[in-house]
Amino acid sequence: MTVTIDSPRASTTKHHKGINLEKWGWVFMRASGVLLVVLIFGHLFVNLMIGHGVKALDFAFVGGKFSDPFWQVWDMLLLWFALIHGANGMRTVINDYAHNRLVGVVLKSFILLATIVLLTLGTLVIYTFDPCPAGSPADLLPSFCAGV
Amino acid sequence: MASAVAAKSGPIAHGEVPTFPVTIIIRRFDPEVDKEPRWVDYDLQMHGTDRVLDALHKIKWEIDGSLAFRRSCAHGVCGSDAMRINGKNRLACKTLLKDLDVSKPIYIEALKGLPLEKDLIVDMEPFFDSYRAVQPFLIASSKPKDGKERLQSAAQREIFDETTKCILCAACTSSCPVFWTDGQYFGPAAIVNAHRFIFDSRDEGAQVRMDILNDKEGVWRCRTTFNCTDACPRGIQVTKVIGEVKQAILRGKP
């Protein structure tokens, strides 16, 4: 015979309200991981395989890429997703291995600081890069500099 | 494997079980005497049909009666003799000596990540605490008709069939590196037993359990290292089960 026990037998209290950072952190890792595969292999393919391959890499090549809005957006996505993906991965490693709470907080602060500094510098480089610095020999610059 | 063992121990009579020497090194700890656990080795002559549990019995019954370990059914059903055998969590009663490399010593120690009490015995309370926390019982407000049972199709039963096999031996939870850290993580076994009810069509508490596991220390701390799947003596694909619970929480329903 089945017995039905009246409620409240189970607590139905919500454990947390608002957004769950751990959950969205996990989703971000999965989503950015897939995106990074495309971004990184696209980057490697264009830089190392197309045309003259690795020999084509010089100031002019990089300057040319940073002058193209398509590659600016590509490199920007690559920078932000790779750095945040890596930093969040480091954060979880610290969560798993730092037994001392203070050590964990200090290490995570360093990671946050490093991430912010690198993202700021990287973004500045991508958007304020001058492919035609004045007074440079023309043979080292991208071809379009001659017309500027 | 068995023939190599037989060859080593010389000619044997027909029907006789071959024996071989084996060294068992156990991490002993007596809280009344020892400050730190110490490794003690025992040289035994064992049969090809013997399990690690038989070796422990031989030590306890014939060499040192003070050796402490848990075992009840001794046949892989009760789940009381989970321990670390050569660095891997196994049931002593389901691990045959001949399947291990007996040319080297066999190292046996208590489960990691749970407080050590004596020799191979750990305090299982933290493990059962997180088991209790996921409310591992049927939550149903409806009364089945005419005092009969709640009906369920074979397909509905199949969904959670795997997780009904758990014997709560703690081999998975205590093999998890995340559980070793601070013991805040629910651990694989609790998630397996939550899965058992989350995907049960007769149960109404799925949302409650998913809320509990959607915690900071819930399923999201799983790093899919597959230690738990490797450790499970019942062959439950624990990491896959945890993945299914993650998916259910993202969907918001089982």
Side-chain angles (χ1 to χ4, degrees):
Chain A
M1 203 205 131
T2 32
V3 179
T4 311
I5 301 172
D6 289 334
S7 36
R9 181 171 59 157
S11 76
T12 48
T13 45
K14 283 259 179 193
H15 270 246
H16 45 79
K17 289 184 172 68
I19 51 166
N20 182 355
L21 279 180
E22 287 298 324
K23 173 174 138 183
W24 289 111
W26 185 87
V27 172
F28 172 80
M29 292 305 266
R30 299 292 150 136
S32 62
V34 173
L35 196 64
L36 279 170
V37 169
V38 178
L39 288 172
I40 290 171
F41 281 100
H43 174 86
L44 292 176
F45 182 70
V46 169
N47 279 23
L48 304 178
M49 299 192 51
I50 283 183
H52 297 287
V54 70
K55 292 187 191 68
L57 282 188
D58 53 13
F59 182 87
F61 183 89
V62 177
K65 272 184 92 178
F66 278 157
S67 311
D68 184 341
F70 175 80
W71 288 111
Q72 279 186 335
V73 171
W74 186 290
D75 285 351
M76 181 79 170
L77 288 175
L78 189 55
L79 172 74
W80 280 71
F81 277 108
L83 253 176
I84 297 175
H85 185 98
N88 192 37
M90 293 289 285
R91 183 185 69 87
T92 56
V93 170
I94 291 167
N95 279 345
D96 288 352
Y97 287 97
H99 290 245
N100 184 313
R101 200 174 165 274
L102 182 69
V103 172
V105 169
V106 170
L107 288 175
K108 279 187 273 187
S109 309
F110 276 127
I111 287 177
L112 183 67
L113 187 72
T115 310
I116 291 172
V117 169
L118 287 172
L119 282 179
T120 315
L121 287 179
T123 310
L124 275 174
V125 166
I126 292 173
Y127 283 105
T128 62
F129 187 78
D130 180 6
C132 310
S136 305
D139 58 328
L140 295 181
L141 297 179
S143 53
F144 56 79
C145 286
V148 178
Chain B
M1 191 79 194
S3 59
V5 166
K8 233 182 283 171
S9 49
I12 48 162
H14 177 71
E16 190 188 329
V17 178
T19 65
F20 51 86
V22 58
T23 305
I24 306 269
I25 306 186
I26 302 178
R27 193 167 180 258
R28 302 286 308 265
F29 176 67
D30 182 349
E32 290 174 2
V33 182
D34 302 321
K35 278 204 173 70
E36 287 291 319
R38 62 207 155 81
W39 293 93
V40 182
D41 43 332
Y42 302 91
D43 292 314
L44 308 168
Q45 193 71 23
M46 299 303 295
H47 289 102
T49 48
D50 281 338
R51 307 154 296 168
V52 170
L53 181 64
D54 296 308
L56 292 176
H57 278 153
K58 204 174 170 78
I59 295 168
K60 185 171 178 71
W61 295 340
E62 295 172 19
I63 301 175
D64 184 352
S66 70
L67 177 68
F69 58 91
R70 285 197 185 102
R71 73 103 174 80
S72 295
C73 78
H75 290 84
V77 178
C78 71
S80 27
D81 65 349
M83 53 189 72
R84 259 166 94 83
I85 300 169
N86 281 348
K88 291 186 167 177
N89 285 1
R90 296 285 182 266
L91 293 185
C93 58
K94 283 187 83 170
T95 310
L96 285 168
L97 286 169
K98 71 177 182 66
D99 291 342
L100 302 167
D101 181 4
V102 289
S103 67
K104 290 186 192 136
I106 294 165
Y107 290 85
I108 301 177
E109 56 191 303
L111 294 175
K112 259 182 92 151
L114 292 164
L116 182 61
E117 292 199 325
K118 188 180 180 187
D119 293 344
L120 300 176
I121 295 179
V122 291
D123 180 6
M124 297 280 277
E125 258 334 287
F127 170 77
F128 286 119
D129 277 344
S130 59
Y131 171 59
R132 276 190 285 268
V134 300
Q135 311 196 0
F137 40 78
L138 190 84
I139 301 172
S141 56
S142 65
K143 232 185 167 85
K145 265 184 219 157
D146 312 323
K148 286 187 177 166
E149 67 273 19
R150 294 181 173 85
L151 294 179
Q152 185 169 53
S153 72
Q156 287 170 324
R157 176 64 170 67
E158 180 63 31
I159 298 171
F160 63 91
D161 185 65
E162 194 161 2
T163 43
T164 61
K165 296 173 185 161
C166 177
I167 55 174
L168 293 171
C169 65
C172 60
T173 293
S174 61
S175 75
C176 176
V178 181
F179 187 80
W180 295 339
T181 309
D182 50 11
Q184 297 298 303
Y185 175 46
F186 279 99
I191 300 172
V192 161
N193 285 281
H195 179 283
R196 155 73 183 80
F197 289 98
I198 287 173
F199 292 94
D200 189 334
S201 59
R202 300 163 295 187
D203 185 81
E204 292 165 15
Q207 211 58 50
V208 179
R209 296 191 188 90
M210 290 197 296
D211 270 347
I212 294 168
L213 290 176
N214 192 12
D215 189 74
K216 190 168 173 292
E217 307 293 344
V219 286
W220 311 117
R221 279 207 79 173
C222 168
R223 308 273 179 261
T224 54
T225 58
F226 286 89
N227 276 20
C228 47
T229 299
D230 176 64
C232 182
R234 306 301 308 260
I236 301 172
Q237 302 290 307
V238 183
T239 312
K240 176 173 159 258
V241 165
I242 298 174
E244 286 173 7
V245 175
K246 284 176 185 167
Q247 294 296 322
I249 292 175
L250 285 180
R251 274 197 305 273
K253 59 183 173 42

